[in-house]
Amino acid sequence: MQNIVNKSLDELQSYFAENGLPAYRAGQVYSWLHRKLTFNFDGMTDLGQELREWLKEKYYIKTLALKHSVTAADGTKKYLFELLDGHRIESVLLSDDTGRKTVCVSTQAGCPLGCAFCATGRDGLQRDLETSEILGQVYAIAEETQDISNVVFMGMGEPFLNYANLLKAIKILTSKEGANFGQRKITVSTCGLADKIRAFARENLQVRLAVSLNSADDNVRARLMPVNRKHPLGALHEAIKYYIKTTGRRVTLEYVMLAGVNDRRSDLEALKRFCRGLNVNVNLIPFNRFGKTFKASSAATLDFFVKALLSEDINTIVRHSRGEEIEAACGQLAAKKK
Ligand code: SAH
Ligand code: SF4
């Protein structure tokens, strides 16, 4: 038996056709699941008893069980989910002053890439999430929060290492027979896998892309992000250029500010050089404490970076952290066993 929540509309339609069922029936089932968030076959009231029984023989329905949630003083809410095999993942709901509600979604349990400043990478990868487990985070949060405005794939894991399931989740989430969520309201954040950035450019999506740069100096970046050895800055720069040319869209560069490590004058100059000729905006991220190795840059240094980049006409903002006291901020998701 297979989990029907993992199936795209196309897959359902062809399976229904193989079994002599009309395509519109597949569409009905798909809408019950992904639009009406009805996760039991008996709730699909317009299908008829016979079809519901057939579905129960062929498929089961599984999304995610919410284990625990905690809310910070600033309204940020962290959700802990337990997967069937016992692994745990976290998602975050961020509400900003303008009323925008952003869900930050995990794509892997753990992460194999081991960036030195990130709690998720500390214990390595447990496993990739299935499409239903990626969607299940959004659906569980949507059940208690009506008007989610944005979805960002910036939780635990590297989205592009789980490429097929990520893409399927995006397609289902944005399908008009499903939740019909706006593609432009979705952001995927990658640590910079050059080949996957190129592949993603060719998917013909309107989704936004963010790249975790964190340093524009190969030596510094390799120390912070081991992935830089396989995908060094030259290759990353070319891939981002290709993405911008192919999609016509701007890319966001994320840059976690670490005192004395990547926030010196020379780091700023390298960053400026990296941005040259690229249609990018820069998000400077104050470091959220993890471990003892790194310290956050001072407010003055952040300010200095912002002004220097703006003066080069590089669109730059500081992305202030939310939910730090509940360890829901960037790089703090680790889903510890309680
Ligand atoms: N693996 C993907 C997406 C998840 S990480 C990626 O690396 O892009 C999401 C963001 O959190 C990245 O931009 C990363 O650089 C940032 N981040 C990681 N650890 C952090 C920390 N301790 N403080 C602030 N940001 C951090
Ligand atoms: Fe993985 Fe992203 Fe954390 Fe690096 S920053 S360890 S790629 S989740």
Side-chain angles (χ1 to χ4, degrees):
M1 284 237 271
Q2 296 193 20
N3 184 358
I4 195 166
V5 187
N6 281 324
K7 302 291 168 191
S8 67
L9 182 56
D10 284 352
E11 285 170 338
L12 279 186
Q13 283 172 337
S14 35
Y15 191 67
F16 274 48
E18 281 168 29
N19 286 275
L21 290 161
Y24 83 92
R25 286 297 194 190
Q28 280 178 309
V29 174
Y30 183 89
S31 288
W32 276 113
L33 294 168
H34 300 289
R35 181 196 295 251
K36 298 177 210 157
L37 308 186
T38 298
F39 300 121
N40 65 87
F41 291 122
D42 287 325
M44 304 181 179
T45 46
D46 59 1
L47 296 185
Q49 185 68 20
E50 203 182 325
L51 177 55
R52 294 208 296 263
E53 292 309 319
W54 179 80
L55 285 165
K56 285 185 219 171
E57 275 166 29
K58 303 292 180 196
Y59 295 109
Y60 64 93
I61 298 181
K62 191 73 205 158
T63 54
L64 277 186
L66 180 61
K67 182 93 182 154
H68 183 69
S69 67
V70 46
T71 308
D74 64 13
T76 302
K77 194 163 176 185
K78 183 164 84 164
Y79 298 80
L80 176 71
F81 295 97
E82 190 163 85
L83 309 179
L84 277 182
D85 54 8
H87 293 310
R88 293 172 172 209
I89 55 162
E90 294 181 329
S91 322
V92 182
L93 174 67
L94 304 121
S95 309
D96 69 12
D97 309 337
T98 65
R100 197 164 58 174
K101 290 181 187 163
T102 302
V103 178
C104 179
V105 175
S106 296
T107 51
Q108 299 184 304
C111 180
L113 295 174
C115 299
F117 48 81
C118 173
T120 303
R122 182 187 42 199
D123 300 323
L125 176 72
Q126 278 111 54
R127 68 166 170 85
D128 286 343
L129 299 187
E130 292 181 14
T131 299
S132 57
E133 292 166 334
I134 298 173
L135 291 169
Q137 300 167 61
V138 183
Y139 294 168
I141 296 172
E143 282 192 356
E144 49 169 77
T145 310
Q146 292 311 311
D147 38 2
I148 293 172
S149 39
N150 296 72
V151 172
V152 297
F153 290 92
M154 293 185 186
M156 296 168 71
E158 166 52 41
F160 283 169
L161 285 180
N162 191 9
Y163 193 86
N165 292 347
L166 166 78
L167 212 68
K168 206 165 173 188
I170 291 174
K171 286 193 173 151
I172 292 177
L173 200 59
T174 57
S175 61
K176 65 178 193 307
E177 300 83 355
N180 201 13
F181 199 83
Q183 289 196 11
R184 290 186 175 79
K185 306 286 184 177
I186 295 177
T187 303
V188 174
S189 175
T190 176
C191 66
L193 308 177
D195 51 337
K196 296 291 175 23
I197 291 174
R198 287 171 184 270
F200 201 59
R202 293 189 291 265
E203 300 287 354
N204 205 10
L205 294 170
Q206 307 295 317
V207 170
R208 293 167 186 275
L209 181 69
V211 176
S212 299
L213 186 67
N214 298 327
S215 169
D217 174 306
D218 266 316
N219 290 324
V220 178
R221 193 167 190 268
R223 183 186 147 213
L224 295 175
M225 306 176 72
V227 70
N228 193 72
R229 298 199 185 102
K230 194 162 167 207
H231 300 276
L233 286 162
L236 183 57
H237 193 273
E238 285 304 310
I240 294 173
K241 202 163 160 183
Y242 174 85
Y243 180 92
I244 294 169
K245 189 162 149 252
T246 309
T247 64
R249 273 192 310 281
R250 180 181 273 192
V251 168
T252 297
L253 300 180
E254 298 163 288
Y255 197 103
V256 180
M257 294 286 286
L258 304 167
V261 175
N262 66 357
D263 71 346
R264 302 158 301 176
R265 292 281 172 124
S266 57
D267 298 306
L268 175 62
E269 292 311 313
L271 177 57
K272 284 191 208 164
R273 276 198 301 279
F274 190 88
C275 292
R276 213 163 280 157
L278 290 182
N279 184 15
V280 287
N281 38 314
V282 174
N283 282 7
L284 300 176
I285 308 175
F287 172 60
N288 298 309
R289 256 196 96 106
F290 156 66
K292 295 204 173 70
T293 317
F294 300 107
K295 286 201 171 55
S297 303
S298 68
T301 306
L302 268 148
D303 197 49
F304 182 74
F305 262 59
V306 172
K307 291 205 171 95
L309 292 165
L310 285 175
S311 75
E312 302 272 320
D313 281 331
I314 302 165
N315 213 316
T316 305
I317 58 157
V318 176
R319 196 162 86 198
H320 283 288
S321 284
R322 304 186 73 98
E324 199 171 358
E325 96 249 23
I326 56 166
E327 296 190 335
C330 295
Q332 294 187 315
L333 300 184
K336 288 181 282 236
K337 298 247 181 216
K338 290 239 158 44

